[in-house]
Amino acid sequence: MASVSYHISSLLEKMTSTDKDFRFMATNDLMMELQKDSIKLDEDSEKKVVKMLLKLLEDKNGEVQNLAVKCLGPLVGKVKEYQVETIVDTLCTNMLSDKEQLRDISSIGLKTVISELPPASTGSTMTANVCKKITAQLTGAIGKQEDVSVQLEALDILSDMLSRLGGTLYSFHSSILNCLLPQLTSPRLAVRKRAIIALGHLVLTCSGNIFSELTEHLLAELKRNESTSTTRTYIQCVAGISRQAGHRIGEHLEKIIPLIVQYCNVEDDELREYCFQAFESFVRRCPKEIDPHIPNVMGLCLKYITFDPNYNYDNEEEEEEEEMMETENGEDEEQESDDEYSDDDDISWKVRRSAAKCLEAIVSSRHDLLQDFYKTLSPVLISRFKEREENVKADIFSAYISLLKQTLPIQSWLHASDASGKDDVPLTMLQNQVPKIVKALHKQLKEKSIKSRQGCFSLLTELANVLPGCLADHIPALVPGIVFSLADKSSSSNMRIDTLSFLHVLLCNHQPEVFHPHIKSLLPPVVTCIGDPFYKITSEALLVTQQLVKVIRPLDKSCTFDAKPYVKDLFPGTLKRLKAADIDQEVKERAISCMGQIIYHLGDHLSTDLQPTLKIFLERLKNEITRLTTVKALTLIASSPLKIDLRPILGEGFPILASFLRKNQRALKLSTLTALDILVKNYSDSLKPAMIESVLTELPALITENDMHVSQVAIMFLTTLAKVYPSCISKISGSVLAEIFQLVHSPLLQGGALNAIIDFFQALVLTKTATMGYSELMKQLTAPIYSSGSGGASVTLHKQAYYSVAKCVAALSSACPKEAPAIVNQFIQDVKNPKSSSAVKVLAFLSLAEMGRTTNLSAQRELKTVILEAFTSPSEEVKSAASYALGNISVGNLKEYLPFMLKEIGSQPKRQYLLLHSLKEVISSSPADGLKPYVEDIWALLFKHCECTEEGTRNVVAECLGKLTLVNPSELLPRLKKQLSSGSPHARSTVVTAIKFTIADQPQPIDALLKGCIGDFLKTLQDPDLNVRRVALAMFNSAAHNKPSLIRDLLNAVLPSLYNETKVRRELIREKWGHSSTQWMMALT
């Protein structure tokens, strides 16, 4: 402590030096010390430091003053409260000084102190006390109105305090309001503006009474309309309050809006501008309350967006005549018209701009009015694309782009197919307006104004994204504008980038044929852009070229367009960029991709240039920065239908690709595996065994449960090898197979990776390799399960692994049908054998299930008996597997097994639950046509059991009913609906649960029917029975998550019932072990 005090004392001594540099360095050192967390000042040091810093605020040297102010921030947290109050008092006094420099530095000091005060939430009383001191002084300074600059600074500081510590000043809110309101009529506009900002911050934390007082005052003043100037200020104030606290002003809108509408018709352009700014704020911040006024506000916007009293827009005939004139005359006339209409006092453009911004707010917040917008708003906006003021035109374009974005069809699985019909109407209306849009824009694409052209391209880009193909008929009108912006030397870099970006979207979203007549004029400027020195232009041009190549010669359809003449334009420019090593990374990658596309589409036209280019690819493959992009480009080239000759680079390239498989870059591994797969499929005759072996040695490390996707792609590549190079499969090291078997026995295996393994095993067994024949593979697959019977290690295998092994067994058996009967017999014997472990029996049943689904097992007469006997097994896993087996075997032979199953369900109440699970498998997995003859019998049987007292059984019945309804929804859904009137609560809960199982996250034929009647099922949310309400909530939850479109229109009716169920009900609370627990534990997620 003593050393710190000594150090501080020496610094303070230097601060009194006559040399400004000494003072500066000492103050700087003090600031460094104060910023250290560890520093602690004693009382004497505090006093001296505060006194010295306040003295330095009046230093003659500005730099010393600035440093002294910066020291105040960290000092606030290091000194006691009374010292902070001393600082604040001095600063407030200095703010009222006659010296302007001292006033300025003191106000900066106050802002610094306020920003460093601890938040009130920390429990510090200092903040509240300091704020009270500052507030009292500031309100006094603002009220005196002696010096405007003092007022402005005081208002600024008050705004800072209110925004950061508004809640702390709660007791001062009333006096602050009384101080600020008179400033709204100040003769100085700057004072009014700052008062409005301060009021905006005040309303965030003030009480309801103070907010009402403020609103009543503003309304009264707006009604009085003492002068246009003050009325403008009051409207600005209302807009400012709405922006800061729109949720609070909403309840007063009914009184405010008629007044603002009335002022829109006053002949004062500035007043109108502020009116529209207020409307915009209401639309964005009070969407619910403004709703009844939207038509009126929109009408005013549409009226005033065309408000240009000082300018006479040429009519269409004059425009046509102008087009016929020579360029020189046209330019002269333009010059004259500019002189004639230049009017510095004309601010009508501000009205138009604020009206356009208000329209944009309405469009972006009211998706439900889309059809109305296309009827009324769209034509007016299109007609205003001719706007003469650049800033206004930009906002009109922005408003129209918002409209297009709202029209963009929602690409989501949540958006059910039934909703698309409704969304098609605005798209159709837009399609009809496309000719008018193009007519209004295409001439502007050649205007001198870069800002206007950029706006046009942004709008056209959005249009092409919303309605792909809509500009097909208008390409001739657009191409000259595109070429002009690309070739125009006065165009900025951003202008060219925007043009290229639009051209790329245009090429992607339209058929190639529409561009063929224009390739000759489009290609040269794009190729010129490839050579542009600015890398962003080059990069965008290469992307466009990539798309142009696809357009010039589409290989997926027959095309009469001759691409050969254009190769000499495309190839050299791209090759130059491909060769360059000293260019931006993005350009390098795009050049590689672009050249890949050129070779894919036009490789047969490159003749002697092809091989040198492929050699460059080989070089890029060796470069760590470009190798991933090169691998993707080579994959594309290898898949070309032109059969590009890659032999010159395969010898050197294949080992490089093999080496990538051991790199630590996941994307590189995946892309390399895809490339190798294509090369093996398409260039098998050019690959040598040594090349294949170099790849095989890298594969075992890739097959692991740590990355299922890489494993899947690696196994798919192995499958290709097994089909194309059966001979090399014998060289598959044991480690590859060992890894695959380990993966089969992993609990994580499912989906794509499992299917890849199944395909691989089928391909492998067909190679007829001795060491990998059917029996050997079968032995390896089932070994852990059979060995567990004696060794007792069954715990090592997860339940999921049994399903995986069973699927692989079934796949091998379908590939070797001669071996199948023997293995089926073996499984039946395993199940019958009393010494077999549960694990062996489970595997046997699951394997029989997988085989039985695709193969008719009716030849096995004892199968039914064996399965039914297993239903009495003490092991739950065996019973479940037997149930699963019966269901799947029935799918393979409905005629024999389904009637047997239905009979058993009716006559065996003890086995009913397991048999119903089997029936569920049949309904889920059977094709609808196969099930139709049995629907009536199944339906009748299920309804016999829908009132079962066991909830588990009822749930299975419900799932069967739901999935059965999907077989013939038009007939069965109305029947389910009828059952709602059933007297039994159990039956109603089963029916409602059944509906839950008809809702899937993908579009289905039942959706339209379900939407029509789901309201009837949701009425059960008001059912007197607690359990029925619970399952109704579960069904509602399922619809909300998987297919919201089903319930969207019913929310107003359904939500009250939903909220009602969130209430705690005393009668449902039970006391358990001294704790209250409620039956209603339904999670509303």
Side-chain angles (χ1 to χ4, degrees):
M1 177 71 87
S3 64
V4 172
S5 300
Y6 176 75
H7 183 49
I8 297 288
S9 296
S10 68
L11 288 176
L12 293 173
E13 195 177 324
K14 288 177 188 171
M15 287 180 194
T16 59
S17 167
T18 52
D19 187 334
K20 66 175 191 236
D21 292 334
F22 266 59
R23 297 199 303 276
F24 179 85
M25 291 307 297
T27 313
N28 192 50
D29 290 348
L30 177 65
M31 187 168 72
M32 302 301 285
E33 287 296 322
L34 290 171
Q35 283 173 342
K36 293 176 184 172
D37 290 336
S38 57
I39 189 170
K40 284 191 170 60
L41 299 172
D42 58 35
E43 198 163 338
D44 189 44
S45 297
E46 278 185 20
K47 197 173 181 181
K48 285 178 182 174
V49 169
V50 168
K51 189 178 177 183
M52 181 53 73
L53 285 176
L54 290 174
K55 185 183 172 188
L56 287 178
L57 289 178
E58 300 183 46
D59 196 280
K60 289 173 184 173
N61 183 274
E63 289 179 336
V64 176
Q65 280 185 322
N66 289 339
L67 268 180
V69 166
K70 284 181 184 174
C71 287
L72 292 176
L75 186 66
V76 167
K78 301 282 190 300
V79 297
K80 294 186 178 62
E81 186 179 321
Y82 74 90
Q83 295 289 7
V84 178
E85 290 183 16
T86 305
I87 294 171
V88 167
D89 278 338
T90 309
L91 290 172
C92 287
T93 309
N94 287 350
M95 258 196 67
L96 304 173
S97 160
D98 296 333
K99 298 175 188 171
E100 187 180 347
Q101 192 177 6
L102 184 59
R103 280 205 311 260
D104 290 346
I105 209 82
S106 299
S107 65
I108 294 169
L110 271 174
K111 287 177 185 175
T112 307
V113 170
I114 290 165
S115 68
E116 292 296 327
L117 286 173
S121 55
T122 57
S124 164
T125 55
M126 177 173 80
T127 303
N129 294 336
V130 170
C131 283
K132 284 171 186 173
K133 263 190 178 306
I134 300 175
T135 308
Q137 302 251 29
L138 290 178
T139 47
I142 293 166
K144 282 179 187 171
Q145 293 193 349
E146 289 170 2
D147 188 330
V148 173
S149 58
V150 172
Q151 267 191 308
L152 290 172
E153 289 295 349
L155 283 165
D156 221 7
I157 295 164
L158 187 61
S159 290
D160 270 13
M161 276 177 62
L162 286 168
S163 68
R164 190 169 178 272
L165 305 159
T168 314
L169 301 174
Y170 192 79
S171 56
F172 281 90
H173 282 176
S174 183
S175 61
I176 291 172
L177 180 67
N178 293 332
C179 161
L180 290 175
L181 287 178
Q183 307 313 316
L184 295 176
T185 53
S186 165
R188 294 292 296 269
L189 288 178
V191 173
R192 295 188 196 181
K193 280 187 179 174
R194 300 232 179 145
I196 289 169
I197 293 167
L199 284 168
H201 292 304
L202 174 67
V203 295
L204 286 169
T205 49
C206 72
S207 66
N209 291 339
I210 286 175
F211 187 80
S212 296
E213 187 185 332
L214 169 62
T215 317
E216 293 304 324
H217 175 79
L218 292 174
L219 279 167
E221 291 298 330
L222 280 172
K223 284 175 186 168
R224 271 178 63 199
N225 188 19
E226 201 169 273
S227 75
T228 312
S229 170
T230 54
T231 303
R232 282 185 212 143
T233 305
Y234 288 123
I235 288 175
Q236 274 184 299
C237 188
V238 169
I241 291 167
S242 167
R243 273 189 286 274
Q244 291 289 348
H247 57 290
R248 300 188 76 172
I249 206 167
E251 59 193 83
H252 301 279
L253 280 193
E254 285 302 318
K255 296 175 187 171
I256 294 171
I257 285 183
L259 289 169
I260 297 182
V261 169
Q262 174 192 323
Y263 287 122
C264 278
N265 298 316
V266 173
E267 286 299 324
D268 184 313
D269 289 348
E270 233 174 317
L271 181 61
R272 283 180 182 139
E273 181 194 6
Y274 298 148
C275 288
F276 285 117
Q277 285 173 354
F279 285 143
E280 182 192 353
S281 172
F282 298 151
V283 168
R284 292 195 188 279
R285 304 289 282 127
C286 320
K288 191 176 176 186
E289 292 83 359
I290 193 80
D291 186 47
H293 306 283
I294 287 285
N296 200 359
V297 172
M298 210 163 95
L300 284 167
C301 289
L302 293 175
K303 177 182 173 185
Y304 284 103
I305 202 170
T306 60
F307 176 70
D308 199 354
N310 301 323
Y311 192 84
N312 178 25
Y313 287 91
D314 297 334
N315 59 32
E316 285 179 21
E317 286 174 25
E318 285 173 338
E319 280 179 14
E320 281 169 19
E321 284 169 25
E322 200 176 299
E323 276 177 29
M324 300 295 287
M325 287 182 183
E326 291 180 12
T327 317
E328 286 174 21
N329 294 345
E331 282 175 6
D332 292 345
E333 189 177 305
E334 192 178 309
Q335 188 63 48
E336 283 170 24
S337 66
D338 282 350
D339 294 342
E340 190 181 333
Y341 291 117
S342 65
D343 185 358
D344 294 338
D345 298 329
D346 177 21
I347 56 165
S348 63
W349 64 271
K350 290 186 175 181
V351 180
R352 300 196 297 281
R353 186 179 65 176
S354 55
K357 285 186 171 177
C358 185
L359 281 175
E360 185 180 352
I362 294 171
V363 166
S364 56
S365 60
R366 296 304 301 267
H367 184 80
D368 53 315
L369 298 175
L370 211 48
Q371 289 189 36
D372 293 342
F373 293 155
Y374 275 107
K375 279 179 196 162
T376 54
L377 189 148
S378 177
V380 177
L381 284 178
I382 293 169
S383 71
R384 291 306 304 167
F385 289 169
K386 64 189 175 187
E387 170 63 53
R388 65 192 172 101
E389 277 288 337
E390 258 191 17
N391 292 332
V392 182
K393 188 186 283 190
D395 284 313
I396 290 170
F397 283 156
S398 181
Y400 205 86
I401 288 168
S402 282
L403 179 60
L404 292 171
K405 283 180 177 167
Q406 289 290 314
T407 318
L408 190 68
I410 300 166
Q411 301 295 332
S412 164
W413 57 269
L414 281 170
H415 195 69
S417 54
D418 57 86
S420 61
K422 195 168 83 175
D423 287 350
D424 284 345
V425 178
L427 285 172
T428 311
M429 294 169 88
L430 173 60
Q431 179 75 58
N432 295 335
Q433 292 178 18
V434 168
K436 289 178 185 171
I437 296 171
V438 175
K439 187 179 178 185
L441 293 181
H442 81 276
K443 286 178 193 168
Q444 297 189 38
L445 293 177
K446 284 188 163 187
E447 273 188 7
K448 285 181 186 173
S449 163
I450 287 176
K451 193 173 180 182
S452 289
R453 279 189 276 156
Q454 282 181 306
C456 291
F457 281 126
S458 296
L459 195 151
L460 287 167
T461 304
E462 198 63 47
L463 180 62
N465 279 324
V466 173
L467 264 183
C470 69
L471 295 171
D473 298 336
H474 309 285
I475 302 293
L478 298 173
V479 167
I482 294 169
V483 172
F484 175 76
S485 282
L486 290 179
D488 181 22
K489 286 176 183 169
S490 64
S491 287
S492 65
S493 299
N494 285 342
M495 180 72 255
R496 289 187 195 181
I497 291 166
D498 287 351
T499 309
L500 288 165
S501 179
F502 165 63
L503 182 53
H504 182 252
V505 170
L506 197 67
L507 291 166
C508 290
N509 288 335
H510 291 75
Q511 290 300 313
E513 301 79 51
V514 298
F515 299 103
H516 288 163
H518 309 285
I519 296 294
K520 197 172 182 180
S521 54
L522 277 174
L523 201 53
V526 173
V527 171
T528 308
C529 287
I530 293 176
D532 196 275
F534 184 38
Y535 78 96
K536 284 194 174 178
I537 294 178
T538 306
S539 172
E540 204 65 43
L542 285 165
L543 201 62
V544 171
T545 307
Q546 226 174 310
Q547 205 57 39
L548 265 173
V549 171
K550 296 180 191 175
V551 165
I552 290 171
R553 192 183 189 188
L555 295 178
D556 53 348
K557 53 169 90 172
S558 58
C559 178
T560 54
F561 185 72
D562 183 17
K564 196 167 185 180
Y566 302 103
V567 177
K568 66 179 190 303
D569 293 328
L570 281 165
F571 183 77
T574 311
L575 184 66
K576 187 182 173 187
R577 289 301 183 184
L578 182 68
K579 282 179 176 175
D582 56 342
I583 50 173
D584 188 83
Q585 170 70 8
E586 189 182 344
V587 177
K588 280 183 188 174
E589 291 181 357
R590 292 257 170 101
I592 292 166
S593 302
C594 185
M595 187 55 84
Q597 202 75 53
I598 290 172
I599 296 173
Y600 175 88
H601 283 270
L602 304 166
D604 53 344
H605 292 320
L606 296 179
S607 59
T608 54
D609 289 323
L610 178 60
Q611 297 313 321
T613 309
L614 290 174
K615 292 287 181 189
I616 299 171
F617 273 112
L618 201 56
E619 291 305 310
R620 296 289 170 266
L621 205 57
K622 295 172 187 173
N623 185 321
E624 190 178 340
I625 304 296
T626 53
R627 63 190 180 190
L628 177 59
T629 313
T630 311
V631 169
K632 289 178 179 175
L634 285 173
T635 308
L636 182 70
I637 294 167
S639 63
S640 171
L642 303 175
K643 303 286 179 214
I644 307 298
D645 183 11
L646 293 178
R647 280 174 300 183
I649 63 163
L650 282 180
E652 198 180 339
F654 218 78
I656 296 173
L657 289 172
S659 72
F660 289 166
L661 296 178
R662 70 177 91 104
K663 301 293 180 193
N664 203 18
Q665 191 181 353
R666 187 171 183 268
L668 182 64
K669 285 182 196 172
L670 288 167
S671 298
T672 303
L673 284 166
T674 311
L676 289 168
D677 195 62
I678 289 285
L679 287 168
V680 168
K681 280 177 183 167
N682 294 351
Y683 295 87
S684 54
D685 50 347
S686 307
L687 300 177
K688 293 174 183 157
M691 295 183 189
I692 303 294
E693 282 168 36
S694 67
V695 174
L696 281 174
T697 54
E698 307 293 345
L699 291 176
L702 300 180
I703 300 166
T704 162
E705 65 178 20
N706 295 335
D707 192 330
M708 281 295 180
H709 187 55
V710 171
S711 301
Q712 178 186 335
V713 179
I715 293 165
M716 286 162 73
F717 174 55
L718 275 171
T719 309
T720 303
L721 280 177
K723 288 175 181 171
V724 179
Y725 286 106
S727 55
C728 80
I729 286 298
S730 58
K731 292 174 186 163
I732 287 184
S733 57
S735 57
V736 171
L737 273 177
E739 294 294 343
I740 291 176
F741 285 125
Q742 201 172 337
L743 204 57
V744 172
H745 300 137
S746 162
L748 304 176
L749 184 66
Q750 58 179 346
L754 177 57
N755 292 334
I757 289 177
I758 288 169
D759 291 344
F760 171 65
F761 280 144
Q762 287 183 323
L764 190 60
V765 83
L766 292 174
T767 60
K768 306 276 193 290
T769 310
T771 53
M772 288 160 239
Y774 178 84
S775 54
E776 183 60 30
L777 289 172
M778 201 64 94
K779 186 179 170 186
Q780 297 264 26
L781 273 171
T782 57
I785 296 157
Y786 280 100
S787 62
S788 69
S790 50
S794 58
V795 245
T796 54
L797 275 195
H798 187 272
K799 186 181 173 185
Q800 176 62 35
Y802 289 96
Y803 285 91
S804 302
V805 171
K807 280 184 162 59
C808 292
V809 166
L812 284 171
S813 301
S814 70
C816 304
K818 289 180 183 173
E819 308 281 355
I823 199 77
V824 170
N825 280 327
Q826 185 197 320
F827 285 137
I828 292 172
Q829 295 314 312
D830 285 342
V831 172
K832 287 166 71 178
N833 185 351
K835 292 180 182 176
S836 296
S837 66
S838 293
V840 170
K841 289 182 179 178
V842 168
L843 176 66
F845 277 128
L846 293 179
S847 302
L848 287 168
E850 296 300 334
M851 292 162 77
R853 188 185 297 154
T854 52
T855 317
N856 187 341
L857 296 183
S858 56
Q860 305 294 334
R861 292 291 162 203
E862 54 186 340
L863 199 51
K864 292 178 190 170
T865 321
V866 168
I867 291 172
L868 291 178
E869 281 174 6
F871 282 180
T872 58
S873 165
S875 164
E876 286 299 322
E877 283 83 7
V878 172
K879 285 199 274 192
S880 175
S883 167
Y884 181 75
L886 179 59
N888 281 285
I889 292 164
S890 303
V891 173
N893 188 359
L894 285 174
K895 197 173 178 184
E896 181 172 338
Y897 276 86
L898 192 53
F900 160 74
M901 192 192 298
L902 296 176
K903 182 184 165 194
E904 286 292 317
I905 293 171
S907 61
Q908 299 288 343
K910 287 184 180 177
R911 300 173 181 166
Q912 204 174 75
Y913 181 71
L914 291 167
L915 288 162
L916 283 167
H917 267 288
S918 301
L919 181 60
K920 182 190 79 179
E921 288 296 331
V922 174
I923 295 170
S924 303
S925 305
S926 297
D929 293 341
L931 268 182
K932 275 185 179 170
Y934 307 99
V935 166
E936 292 302 327
D937 295 339
I938 299 172
W939 190 266
L941 181 76
L942 289 171
F943 269 104
K944 277 183 191 169
H945 297 95
C946 73
E947 298 187 31
C948 178
T949 50
E950 293 250 346
E951 188 177 1
T953 306
R954 285 204 311 277
N955 283 341
V956 184
V957 169
E959 191 170 348
C960 291
L961 277 171
K963 290 182 173 172
L964 190 62
T965 303
L966 296 174
V967 173
N968 188 0
S970 56
E971 194 177 319
L972 299 179
L973 192 59
R975 287 208 222 167
L976 265 185
K977 189 175 152 187
K978 272 187 191 172
Q979 294 296 330
L980 276 178
S981 53
S982 162
S984 156
H986 283 336
R988 290 201 300 280
S989 74
T990 305
V991 168
V992 174
T993 308
I995 291 298
K996 184 177 84 172
F997 288 106
T998 64
I999 300 167
D1001 59 8
Q1002 297 299 323
Q1004 293 193 108
I1006 196 173
D1007 291 345
L1009 298 166
L1010 200 53
K1011 190 170 184 179
C1013 65
I1014 199 166
D1016 296 309
F1017 293 101
L1018 286 173
K1019 283 176 186 168
T1020 52
L1021 284 168
Q1022 297 161 8
D1023 197 278
D1025 184 78
L1026 180 70
N1027 192 46
V1028 175
R1029 294 204 302 279
R1030 184 175 64 79
V1031 297
L1033 276 171
M1035 184 260 285
F1036 180 72
N1037 195 19
S1038 174
H1041 278 77
N1042 296 310
K1043 203 156 278 172
S1045 57
L1046 291 176
I1047 55 167
R1048 194 177 288 124
D1049 300 337
L1050 303 169
L1051 290 179
N1052 288 340
V1054 174
L1055 286 178
S1057 305
L1058 184 66
Y1059 295 139
N1060 194 40
E1061 294 302 341
T1062 60
K1063 293 176 185 170
V1064 176
R1065 310 234 177 121
R1066 292 285 159 206
E1067 71 273 15
L1068 297 176
I1069 294 176
R1070 308 279 180 266
E1071 289 292 332
K1072 279 186 187 175
W1073 303 297
H1075 295 287
S1076 288
S1077 69
T1078 174
Q1079 280 184 354
W1080 250 134
M1081 296 304 284
M1082 178 67 193
L1084 298 175
T1085 53

